[in-house]
């Protein structure tokens, strides 16, 4: 179907999304209430920009066990952070196009496809863009942000232009993300020993050596840090002396479990 011009009184919004390869369009409030945007593929492809070193791709999500489309390095960082957020239960890349009439421009129809959708545990949603710099997208992006903020507020959701995290935090989470797959959870006995070793806060190297071979233990520790079963300050570079302690009493549902009882493969851990 072709995208029709929305005719919603009072500055309304409409949503366009693809179901089974077919575009559908309906009032935004109705779509937000019934459509599982997290289950949809992108409503339009991420653009390939000539001369750019980074192109569209896929992020494997520990939250969903599936892949989320992305279109930029800045978006990958935000997907990584959302993937680690225990309140996020599902994500999708560009699943909906928003349409509205711009009252400042005599009712000209505007269109915007937010880069990210995330579903929170309470059922509410986040629409977000991932600008590489604060001013990316210019005036059009700022006007779209204001409009989408209004649209999301109407249904109890949130729209954000996500800011780049502190480089140290981003680096640490990126490192832990390398161990996000459930296979790094390791054998049950190893994980239990790791959690017991850090039941009281202690230096990372000390707790790892108390459990056993660092090549086996470190990946389990990193996965537990990713999954919030352990905690450590991420605003300073991870190293052998960083203090690690207990995290959430039970890991988030997305942490998963490993089939079988074999130990995990060795990762490239902290050099001691």
């Amino acid at each position: 179907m072709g995208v029709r011009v929305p005719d919603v009184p009072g500055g309304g919004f409409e949503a366009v999304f693809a179901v089974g390869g077919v575009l559908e369009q309906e009032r935004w409030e109705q779509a937000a209430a019934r459509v599982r945007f997290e289950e949809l593929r992108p409503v339009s492809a991420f653009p390939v920009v000539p001369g750019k070193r980074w192109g569209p791709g896929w992020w494997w999500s520990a939250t969903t066990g599936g892949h989320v489309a992305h279109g930029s390095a800045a978006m990958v960082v935000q997907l990584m952070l959302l993937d680690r957020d225990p309140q996020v239960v599902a994500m999708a890349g560009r699943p909906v196009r928003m349409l509205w009439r711009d009252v400042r421009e005599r009712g000209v129809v505007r269109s915007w496809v937010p880069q990210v959708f995330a579903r929170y545990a309470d059922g509410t949603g986040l629409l977000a863009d991932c600008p590489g710099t604060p001013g990316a997208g210019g005036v059009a992006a700022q006007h779209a942000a204001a409009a989408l903020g209004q649209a999301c507020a109407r249904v109890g959701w949130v729209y954000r232009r996500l800011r780049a995290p502190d480089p140290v935090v981003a680096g640490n989470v990126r490192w832990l993300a390398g161990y996000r797959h459930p296979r790094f959870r390791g054998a049950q006995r190893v994980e239990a020993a790791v959690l017991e070793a850090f039941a009281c806060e202690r230096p990372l190297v000390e707790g790892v050596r108390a459990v056993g071979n660092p090549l086996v233990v470190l990946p389990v520790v990193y996965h537990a840090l990713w999954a919030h079963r352990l905690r450590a300050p991420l605003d300073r570079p991870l190293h052998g002396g960083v203090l690690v302690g207990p995290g959430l009493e039970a890991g988030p549902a997305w942490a998963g479990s490993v089939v079988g009882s074999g130990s995990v493969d060795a990762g490239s851990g902290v050099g001691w």
Side-chain angles (χ1 to χ4, degrees):
M1 60 165 283
V3 175
R4 66 179 183 271
V5 175
D7 186 17
V8 182
F13 297 85
E14 294 213 347
V16 179
F17 46 92
V19 178
V22 178
L23 290 180
E24 296 188 9
Q25 181 175 332
E26 65 181 77
R27 288 280 299 269
W28 162 242
E29 289 83 355
Q30 296 172 346
R34 76 166 190 87
V35 177
R36 304 294 297 177
F37 291 113
E38 58 267 47
E39 299 175 359
L40 303 182
R41 297 183 69 83
V43 69
S44 62
F46 285 96
V48 176
V49 181
K52 289 286 186 179
R53 296 178 58 188
W54 191 279
W58 298 90
W59 169 264
W60 185 84
S61 168
T63 300
T64 66
H67 287 87
V68 180
H70 66 74
S72 69
M75 184 176 174
V76 169
V77 172
Q78 300 299 342
L79 288 176
M80 177 181 71
L81 295 174
L82 289 169
D83 205 11
R84 189 171 180 264
D85 185 341
Q87 295 303 313
V88 172
V89 297
M91 300 183 296
R94 302 192 98 193
V96 60
R97 179 185 299 277
M98 301 293 291
L99 299 173
W100 69 97
R101 290 189 181 276
D102 191 337
V103 295
R104 296 167 304 185
E105 297 291 339
R106 299 182 181 179
V108 171
V109 174
R110 299 299 183 190
S111 169
W112 193 264
V113 183
Q115 292 175 296
V116 176
F117 168 77
R119 179 80 66 184
Y120 291 114
D122 64 1
T124 60
L126 165 75
L127 292 180
D129 285 302
C130 311
T133 59
V139 174
Q142 297 299 327
H143 287 172
L148 268 62
Q150 295 175 22
C152 286
R154 292 184 181 189
V155 296
W157 291 13
V158 174
Y159 169 82
R160 291 196 182 100
R161 280 172 61 87
L162 299 173
R163 298 179 180 178
D166 175 85
V168 174
V169 173
N172 284 334
V173 176
R174 186 178 293 109
W175 175 265
L176 297 179
Y179 298 87
R180 68 189 183 277
H181 195 281
R183 68 176 176 271
F184 290 109
R185 189 166 183 173
Q188 186 174 2
R189 58 181 176 78
V190 177
E191 183 191 38
V194 163
L195 297 181
E196 181 178 357
F198 292 103
C200 294
E201 194 173 65
R202 67 195 301 187
L204 173 62
V205 61
E206 180 182 305
V208 168
R209 286 174 174 168
V211 176
N213 182 351
L215 292 179
V216 174
V217 177
L218 267 172
V220 181
V221 172
Y222 291 144
H223 180 78
L225 285 168
W226 166 269
H228 299 279
R229 288 190 295 277
L230 293 177
R231 60 173 173 78
L234 297 183
D235 56 351
R236 298 188 298 276
L238 286 173
H239 56 84
V242 69
L243 295 179
V244 177
L248 301 179
E249 183 175 354
W254 45 260
S257 60
V258 175
V259 177
S261 58
S263 62
V264 298
D265 295 332
S268 54
V270 176
W272 297 333

